[in-house]
Amino acid sequence: MPFRKRMVYMDYASTTPVDPRVIKAMLPYFDKKFGNTMSPHEWGMEARETLETAREEIASLLGAAPNEIIFTSSATESNNLAIKGVAFANKERGKHIITSKIEHLSVLEPCRWLERNGFKVTYLDVDSYGLIDPKRVEEEIRDDTILVSIMHANNEIGTIEPIEEIGKICEEKGVYFHVDAAQTFGKIPFKNRDLHVDLLTISSHKIYGPKGVGALYVSEDVRMEPLLHGGGHEFGLRSSTVNIPGVVGFAEACKIAEGEMDSEITRLTELRDKLIQNILETGRAHLTGHPEKRLPNLVSFWIESVEGERLIMELNERGIAASTGSACASGKLEPSHVLLAIGLSRREAKNSLRLSLGRWTTAKDVEYVVDALWEIIERKSR
Ligand SMILES: *Cc1c(COP(=O)(O)O)cnc(C)c1O
């Protein structure tokens, strides 16, 4: 039978297409309702109302108060604001921060930068599933610890961390707790209160909203400094004229995600497990990340004698978008810091594959990808 090519996007963890319903909601805000929220006239008033409505909508989904939501440009900015903002405002209290070895680079790099500027950072180990032990967090908290930053779910291996337990520990010890929820918000249900978080990062383009918008939840009692100084937007924590079309799109994307979450979790988990089962049946693939405590839309492996970059290219030739790990890490020749942290050798880590599913992934797509993978893996291991 001739090879029939499909186009299959299985890289939703790196970014998602904007949902057509989101585009529709955004359109009027480019030309008709284009006002600046700081303007005293009718246009400005309308922009302010739009902004506050979007803020209320996102706040209510997180179980937060509207004045606890700061709009930013991305999860990267939110993570930077959370970490540096807390560090700068609380350095008289202490200069110690705790995070993990498997965080996104937008957490690790601000931490490394703070280390070069007089702060101390503890990078916690994870087990072979990528899980952080809450007891280890407790042991590492010292008198001068001001912040703990741990991701909700890992973007490369999908493992969901015991955030609730870690949050309780931080609460008891009086240490601020920041969570990077870029991979979980809109995908698995949670409320900030249940997680005991003080700061939480979310991003629009991971949940079918536009790129260039994110938010940081900052609990009312957190002391922090802004990174951007200027006109005092966003309660003084993030100056710069607010991206109203972006914020409107983000809020719409959140509402859609919330409404469809339960059915999507069921549908995607089924597709995910089918992918895992069929890929493991090749006898050459090893699942990375936790078998159960994992994102409903993410599968990750390392595959014997199949080099990751090569595999991605072969899949690409068949119309399939996959990833070796994080988009940010690919392009570099270094193996992923996450895969090394869960104990893979450098060689194993370079043989990694991540497939992430989303709103438009079908059972047919899964079959097509499984067939392609079987064919490539069998040929390589002959
Ligand atoms: C994608 C991602 C980020 C960065 O998000 P941007 O909005 O692209 O800056 C941060 N953390 C995690 C866990 C992510 O998956």
Side-chain angles (χ1 to χ4, degrees), residues 11 33 42 68 73 143 145 206 253 302 315 338 353 369:
D11 200 14
K33 308 180 181 188
E42 190 62 34
E68 295 176 315
S73 65
D143 288 342
T145 307
K206 301 283 174 85
W302 72 268
L315 288 171
V338 175
L353 170 70
V369 170

Side-chain angles (χ1 to χ4, degrees), residues 84-104:
K84 292 188 247 175
V86 164
F88 292 152
N90 297 277
K91 59 178 188 289
E92 308 304 329
R93 253 184 60 208
K95 288 190 157 190
H96 180 235
I97 293 168
I98 298 171
T99 186
S100 85
K101 288 189 176 162
I102 64 163
E103 298 301 310
H104 192 267

Side-chain angles (χ1 to χ4, degrees), residues 176-348:
Y176 291 142
F177 184 35
H178 167 245
V179 170
D180 176 356
Q183 288 293 342
T184 53
F185 179 65
K187 296 185 190 137
I188 60 173
F190 67 86
K191 291 277 186 243
N192 286 357
R193 203 175 311 102
D194 303 328
L195 300 182
H196 303 268
V197 300
D198 301 293
L199 304 115
L200 183 122
T201 290
I202 59 179
S203 183
S204 158
H205 77 96
K206 301 283 174 85
I207 60 161
Y208 315 97
K211 292 173 182 57
V213 202
L216 181 66
Y217 157 81
V218 184
S219 157
E220 262 165 332
D221 37 62
V222 173
R223 275 181 34 199
M224 67 185 270
E225 288 286 337
L227 303 183
L228 300 188
H229 299 86
H233 309 70
E234 299 298 286
F235 314 106
L237 283 174
R238 207 273 182 181
S239 289
S240 147
T241 303
V242 180
N243 172 4
I244 293 291
V247 161
V248 167
F250 190 12
E252 187 65 22
C254 293
K255 280 191 285 181
I256 296 170
E258 171 82 5
E260 299 183 354
M261 194 182 307
D262 291 344
S263 58
E264 277 296 88
I265 290 175
T266 312
R267 190 182 74 85
L268 291 171
T269 303
E270 217 169 279
L271 293 178
R272 177 197 73 183
D273 291 344
K274 191 162 173 229
L275 255 179
I276 293 178
Q277 192 197 331
N278 285 320
I279 296 174
L280 287 179
E281 277 168 8
T282 60
R284 300 255 158 202
H286 303 260
L287 188 72
T288 52
H290 198 280
E292 287 108 38
K293 293 173 192 163
R294 70 183 297 132
L295 288 168
N297 68 322
L298 194 148
V299 308
S300 51
F301 298 95
W302 72 268
I303 300 170
E304 290 166 27
S305 49
V306 182
E307 204 259 317
E309 296 288 337
R310 185 83 230 137
L311 177 58
I312 299 306
M313 279 168 41
E314 295 213 19
L315 288 171
N316 189 45
E317 281 163 17
R318 290 163 175 76
I320 299 165
S323 161
T324 50
S326 67
C328 330
S330 59
K332 295 190 302 190
L333 285 167
E334 277 303 290
S336 141
H337 66 283
V338 175
L339 299 176
L340 296 179
I342 63 172
L344 297 196
S345 70
R346 292 175 69 85
R347 161 166 291 264
E348 289 164 351

Side-chain angles (χ1 to χ4, degrees), residues 13-15 73-79 103-107 151-156 180-184 201-206 212-214 328 354:
S14 62
T15 195
S73 65
S74 61
T76 296
E77 188 190 330
S78 297
N79 286 340
E103 298 301 310
H104 192 267
L105 291 177
S106 59
V107 165
M151 68 202 323
H152 196 179
N154 184 271
N155 49 301
E156 292 186 39
D180 176 356
Q183 288 293 342
T184 53
T201 290
I202 59 179
S203 183
S204 158
H205 77 96
K206 301 283 174 85
V213 202
C328 330
R354 177 187 77 179

